[in-house]
Amino acid sequence: MRLSQSLFVTLREDPADAEIPSHKLLLRAGYIRRIGRGIYAYLPLMWRVLQKVSQIVREEMNATGAQETLLPQLQPAEIWQESGRWDTYTQAEGIMFSLRDRLDGELGLGPTHEEVITTIAKDMIRSYRQLPQHLYQIQTKFRDEIRPRFGLMRGREFIMKDGYSFHASEECLKKTYADMDQAYRNMLRRCGLQFRAVEADSGAIGGSGSQEFMILADAGEDEILYTEDEKYAANTEKAVSLPVEAIASPFNSFEKRETPDTATIESLCDFLDCSPTCVVKNVLYEVIYNKGITVFALVSIRGDQEINEVKLQNELTKHGRKYSNSKTIISLTVADANIQEKWFKKPLPLGYISPDLKDDHIQEPTLEALESIAEEVRDKSGNSLKNEALQLIKNYKGDLKHLLINFLQYLYRVEKKQSSSTVLIHQFVMKITKKWAYPIITRVIDQTAVPLANFVTGADETNYHVLGANWGTEFKLPELQVDVRLAKAGDRAVHDPTQILQTARGIEAGHIFQLGTKYSEAMGATFTDENGKEQPLVMGCYGVGVSRLAQAAVEQSYDENGIIWPVAIAPYHAVVVVPNVKSEEQMAAAEKLYADLNAAGVETILDDRNERAGVKFKDAELIGIPFRVVTGKSLKDGKVEVVRRKEGDRQDLDLDAVVATLKNWVEAAGQ
């Protein structure tokens, strides 16, 4: 490529909307251009990088026996509703672009393809003799990010490799999962990147286990916790650890004590002169499930610990099956003043809440409000059931909890019968619960708070706490005892308490999942085993962010002058710079080197622009080409200057040694 004939424009200043170095550099160096919020054009240099990354990914996938395919970007809502993820992706996480076609059919632009590939497997895989199967694609994906940022790191359109495997058993899945672990390590090593594989939360994808591949970089969005013995590494969303040992409480008898202006753990412990490890703090969350169900979760945790809301959401998602079989959390929010005003009879004493905050703090709908809802109730044919609904109100207004709790649980046991009374109960209760909280508080306790004795906690009254409290006497121990604490650097490792967790920042470039039968069971994708019995397909899922990986490489390797590409994914290996294009000698030498290097497999561009030499040198460093050859003043001695971008060294080489030297450097970088 000749720069004089290329679409090549660089910027001297950082764009105002670019936040991190890699985003600034890719814009300045002419690799990408912003078209809209989170939408970027890949310009020629960037497209070459993406092609190289894609090819490395493709070669490693093919080496495992996976088969490349191409799946539709436009996906019907029905298959997502069948899997149960439509609400999660369009409401809870809200990351799917959804639309309606001219026939009023609902569609989505795929952020992922589990539903599509499971539909294909359901149609095509019949017998265990066809298993295992592994399909993958390299495809443009879409995410409706609330706040697109950092360029290609968190865009609304991106390139991704996603693969899906189907198996007859968990053992077979684990073998492919191990193969993918190795393949992903190979991909990142071949791309010339420093990375760490870590345990991860499976999120909305689901499954029994997953692992992320993090490219190490100071600007990484994710925090990684790891041990120096290299036996443990995890994303903080998933990480577990041993907290510091609790200090024995100095309060040996139960009492209620005035503790003015102590709404925080720090102020409380200063006032009482005690350790936060003998305090139980209680945090109230509003939890909105699909199907319009709102509940509250009161989380008790040791005072020196923080709540990991990813872990909490996972536990509440499991627990939500009690509420009308609700499987998706739309929103998880600490109950602030606005939420309290909406749901509670009076403001709660935040900072002073006890572990047994009473359900009756939640306000109940008025009779007038219930009558208003009754106006909306219809049977299956659309006929008004107002009178029947009003009769329900009359019968149950004095026992609203019975109406909401028992009927809501009951209707899902008898839903298939669909009698007129069931339809009435269904509609009426669902309409109420969409406007009022399900009148209970789910109580959750973190494992750090379970063994505490004689602890300090809130008294449900502003400026008051209770001291010397115990589970089983003053407070009932919550049944839902789980790990919802946030592990942090400095904690002791579970596998070896002598190992202390260290912290690093990372950019997620790959993620592999053991999905199990989550999608196949939901969508009816089965096969006949060797005994003639129908079984659900066992699945795995494996993703690599191709465009994200390319930018992450820049975030990992740059300096004050620009990008420093790893040789394997650089758009070109070398650039031949002509300081003075009016010099016939310099141009002739440059043309010959340009031709000979490309012929030898050293991908080379020629900077033959009519620009000052200083501009060309700055641009060469900015765009990050690994090797620079300058046909300058040393030509009179039969030499050219060669600069290695990463090392920063420069040397004069004989003209006839340049091709062989650069070829050796390129080959050595690929080993």
Side-chain angles (χ1 to χ4, degrees):
M1 183 180 82
R2 299 172 183 271
L3 286 184
S4 63
Q5 300 172 12
S6 303
L7 181 62
F8 180 69
V9 178
T10 58
L11 306 174
R12 294 295 162 231
E13 302 296 331
D14 291 335
D17 62 340
E19 299 177 64
I20 59 175
S22 57
H23 187 195
K24 296 173 183 178
L25 289 170
L26 288 175
L27 286 167
R28 283 186 53 207
Y31 281 85
I32 60 175
R33 278 295 181 270
R34 183 180 183 273
I35 303 301
R37 290 179 57 253
I39 305 170
Y40 289 85
Y42 308 125
L43 298 176
L45 288 176
M46 192 68 201
W47 187 239
R48 285 185 65 90
V49 174
L50 294 172
Q51 286 179 310
K52 289 189 173 185
V53 173
S54 296
Q55 187 57 29
I56 290 172
V57 169
R58 180 175 286 113
E59 288 171 2
E60 292 298 332
M61 291 300 295
N62 291 347
T64 69
Q67 308 161 73
E68 187 168 6
T69 185
L70 189 63
L71 304 173
Q73 296 170 323
L74 199 60
Q75 303 180 26
E78 288 82 0
I79 61 175
W80 284 76
Q81 291 162 348
E82 190 177 0
S83 73
R85 291 205 301 170
W86 181 255
D87 287 344
T88 302
Y89 273 76
T90 59
Q91 297 179 46
E93 295 190 6
I95 60 172
M96 179 184 278
F97 287 99
S98 58
L99 62 146
R100 289 187 178 274
D101 61 22
R102 65 182 64 196
L103 299 177
D104 204 34
E106 212 167 4
L107 302 160
L109 288 175
T112 185
H113 279 73
E114 282 82 6
E115 283 75 8
V116 170
I117 201 71
T118 305
T119 298
I120 292 169
K122 177 180 177 180
D123 291 343
M124 299 184 70
I125 297 176
R126 298 279 183 252
S127 168
Y128 73 94
R129 294 186 180 88
Q130 294 172 271
L131 298 171
Q133 294 288 340
H134 190 173
L135 302 172
Y136 78 95
Q137 63 171 344
I138 298 175
Q139 167 76 286
T140 298
K141 305 282 186 135
F142 303 89
R143 288 174 64 99
D144 190 8
E145 296 283 357
I146 295 175
R147 188 187 174 199
R149 58 196 306 221
F150 303 154
L152 308 184
M153 293 289 195
R154 190 165 290 281
R156 298 200 293 166
E157 179 179 311
F158 54 97
I159 299 174
M160 183 176 175
K161 187 286 296 181
D162 52 322
Y164 307 91
S165 62
F166 298 90
H167 310 267
S169 66
E170 291 285 347
E171 291 72 22
C172 184
L173 165 61
K174 289 177 180 178
K175 181 182 183 304
T176 298
Y177 187 84
D179 290 343
M180 286 298 99
D181 173 78
Q182 187 58 56
Y184 276 43
R185 293 171 190 269
N186 294 346
M187 292 172 196
L188 294 173
R189 289 192 186 104
R190 288 183 59 188
C191 287
L193 301 172
Q194 293 179 303
F195 68 93
R196 190 181 292 274
V198 304
E199 293 180 17
D201 180 71
S202 297
I205 299 292
S208 60
S210 72
Q211 184 173 239
E212 289 174 335
F213 294 81
M214 294 285 193
I215 296 174
L216 302 177
D218 291 340
E221 287 188 286
D222 293 290
E223 182 182 7
I224 304 163
L225 297 176
Y226 65 95
T227 54
E228 291 183 344
D229 64 2
E230 298 186 354
K231 292 183 179 179
Y232 183 75
N235 190 311
T236 50
E237 293 179 347
K238 178 75 171 180
V240 296
S241 64
L242 299 174
V244 298
E245 295 288 349
I247 296 173
S249 171
F251 310 108
N252 296 319
S253 60
F254 180 76
E255 66 170 298
K256 180 179 177 180
R257 184 180 297 183
E258 185 175 9
T259 53
D261 302 320
T262 57
T264 66
I265 295 295
E266 182 179 7
S267 60
L268 174 64
C269 292
D270 286 344
F271 183 85
L272 295 176
D273 191 25
C274 69
S275 166
T277 64
C278 62
V279 176
V280 173
K281 67 179 176 182
N282 307 288
V283 183
L284 187 67
Y285 285 88
E286 178 196 53
V287 189
I288 303 176
Y289 289 92
N290 63 332
K291 304 181 184 294
I293 306 300
T294 300
V295 303
F296 288 89
L298 183 62
V299 184
S300 299
I301 191 169
R302 204 172 78 181
D304 62 323
Q305 301 300 315
E306 299 299 327
I307 295 170
N308 182 328
E309 293 187 353
V310 173
K311 290 182 181 179
L312 176 61
Q313 180 158 327
N314 289 341
E315 294 297 338
L316 291 174
T317 297
K318 299 174 192 173
H319 196 65
R321 297 177 190 276
K322 293 176 61 177
Y323 309 118
S324 303
N325 201 27
S326 299
K327 299 178 181 178
T328 302
I329 291 179
I330 305 298
S331 172
L332 177 68
T333 312
V334 173
D336 60 15
N338 291 332
I339 292 173
Q340 291 181 51
E341 182 179 358
K342 178 180 179 182
W343 295 112
F344 290 83
K345 295 175 182 177
K346 61 181 181 179
L348 297 174
L350 295 183
Y352 303 91
I353 292 176
S354 78
D356 66 349
L357 181 72
K358 304 302 182 187
D359 294 344
D360 56 16
H361 280 79
I362 301 173
Q363 63 180 321
E364 297 177 354
T366 63
L367 181 60
E368 291 76 15
L370 293 174
E371 290 175 344
S372 174
I373 295 174
E375 297 277 357
E376 305 172 19
V377 180
R378 298 284 187 274
D379 65 15
K380 289 189 291 185
S381 301
N383 300 315
S384 173
L385 288 173
K386 175 182 175 181
N387 292 335
E388 290 88 340
L390 290 174
Q391 186 62 43
L392 269 179
I393 295 169
K394 181 179 179 181
N395 291 343
Y396 290 98
K397 68 176 182 178
D399 190 7
L400 187 62
K401 289 183 181 178
H402 179 271
L403 171 68
L404 296 182
I405 298 174
N406 292 344
F407 276 10
L408 192 55
Q409 293 175 345
Y410 165 76
L411 71 90
Y412 274 91
R413 292 197 297 270
V414 299
E415 195 174 37
K416 293 181 181 179
K417 298 180 182 178
Q418 287 296 301
S419 65
S420 60
S421 61
T422 308
V423 172
L424 172 62
I425 294 167
H426 187 169
Q427 287 198 41
F428 185 60
V429 175
M430 293 308 289
K431 287 180 183 296
I432 291 174
T433 53
K434 285 182 179 179
K435 297 191 178 184
W436 278 275
Y438 198 79
I440 63 169
I441 297 173
T442 297
R443 296 165 205 286
V444 181
I445 186 168
D446 179 72
Q447 292 165 353
T448 56
V450 172
L452 295 186
N454 298 321
F455 54 81
V456 177
T457 194
D460 288 334
E461 183 179 346
T462 300
N463 294 328
Y464 284 88
H465 284 83
V466 294
L467 288 59
N470 287 279
W471 303 114
T473 52
E474 288 76 27
F475 297 105
K476 180 181 178 182
L477 184 66
E479 293 181 5
L480 194 55
Q481 300 170 23
V482 291
D483 169 27
V484 292
R485 66 178 283 271
L486 184 69
K488 57 185 183 295
D491 287 348
R492 296 169 298 155
V494 173
H495 75 279
D496 180 355
T498 66
Q499 289 286 317
I500 304 302
L501 295 185
Q502 310 294 318
T503 184
R505 305 299 300 184
I507 299 166
E508 181 190 346
H511 203 156
I512 60 177
F513 303 82
Q514 296 181 52
L515 297 178
T517 58
K518 172 181 176 177
Y519 295 92
S520 55
E521 286 184 346
M523 302 180 71
T526 62
F527 71 99
T528 303
D529 67 17
E530 54 192 355
N531 297 316
K533 186 177 179 181
E534 195 171 49
Q535 303 283 2
L537 290 163
V538 180
M539 292 177 59
C541 169
Y542 320 96
V544 171
V546 172
S547 48
R548 171 179 273 219
L549 187 154
Q551 182 172 331
V554 178
E555 195 62 45
Q556 189 176 89
S557 187
Y558 67 91
D559 62 18
E560 67 276 10
N561 296 317
I563 299 167
I564 304 174
W565 285 111
V567 175
I569 61 173
Y572 291 91
H573 300 139
V575 54
V576 176
V577 177
V578 187
N580 180 9
V581 294
K582 295 179 181 178
S583 166
E584 293 183 3
E585 181 184 22
Q586 290 185 18
M587 280 299 300
E591 290 281 5
K592 186 174 188 310
L593 284 169
Y594 173 60
D596 291 349
L597 285 166
N598 277 306
V602 180
E603 300 167 4
T604 305
I605 54 175
L606 176 63
D607 191 349
D608 58 345
R609 295 174 296 163
N610 188 17
E611 291 279 3
R612 291 180 291 108
V615 171
K616 295 182 179 183
F617 296 154
K618 283 186 175 296
D619 281 346
E621 292 195 319
L622 178 62
I623 65 176
I625 305 301
F627 309 115
R628 183 172 83 221
V629 180
V630 182
T631 58
K633 296 179 181 179
S634 55
L635 272 177
K636 66 180 184 302
D637 299 319
K639 298 178 182 293
V640 292
E641 181 185 66
V642 177
V643 182
R644 292 193 293 179
R645 178 73 180 88
K646 181 178 180 180
E647 293 78 7
D649 60 11
R650 57 190 67 218
Q651 56 188 291
D652 287 342
L653 291 179
D654 292 335
L655 272 170
D656 57 7
V658 171
V659 174
T661 300
L662 265 63
K663 184 176 182 180
N664 287 338
W665 287 348
V666 170
E667 291 174 349
Q671 294 177 354

